[in-house]
Amino acid sequence: RPLDNSGALLQLCNSPMRKRSLRVARAERDISQIDLAMRAGLSQRKIWAIENGYRGASRDEQDAIAAVLELSRAAIAWPKDVKGQATA
């Protein structure tokens, strides 16, 4: 019988420990950028820039956003490369 890993892959994709983008995490909770920004103490423009990779988020900003989304900071896939900036 051939090895079938499709079930394991499906289980991994549906795992609650899977990292999700900020946009996906926000959408899963039906929270608008404006609502997230107000509740996290940030501007809507900053949330948009983070979601679109134009700006990174400080640890304090990540903590505030994660708290509003009721997730750990580690559960969100934060953008690593910011558009328009050179990467090392």
Side-chain angles (χ1 to χ4, degrees):
R1 182 173 138 188
L3 182 61
D4 180 10
N5 288 331
S6 60
L9 180 60
L10 181 61
Q11 187 176 20
L12 177 64
C13 290
N14 291 326
S15 168
M17 294 305 292
R18 177 180 53 91
K19 285 191 176 193
R20 44 185 66 73
S21 71
L22 175 55
R23 180 176 286 126
V24 168
R26 185 174 56 75
E28 288 174 343
R29 284 150 184 81
D30 196 29
I31 298 175
S32 68
Q33 284 183 350
I34 292 172
D35 190 35
L36 175 59
M38 288 175 46
R39 291 167 58 187
L42 304 170
S43 70
Q44 183 271 333
R45 176 179 242 167
K46 190 172 286 188
I47 298 295
W48 180 91
I50 294 168
E51 282 188 358
N52 288 285
Y54 286 98
R55 185 187 185 291
S58 70
R59 284 190 181 228
D60 288 341
E61 291 168 341
Q62 290 178 5
D63 287 337
I65 291 167
V68 171
L69 298 174
E70 298 179 343
L71 292 169
S72 69
R73 183 172 10 118
I76 299 171
W78 301 98
K80 290 185 179 23
D81 298 324
V82 177
K83 293 179 183 175
Q85 294 183 5
T87 55

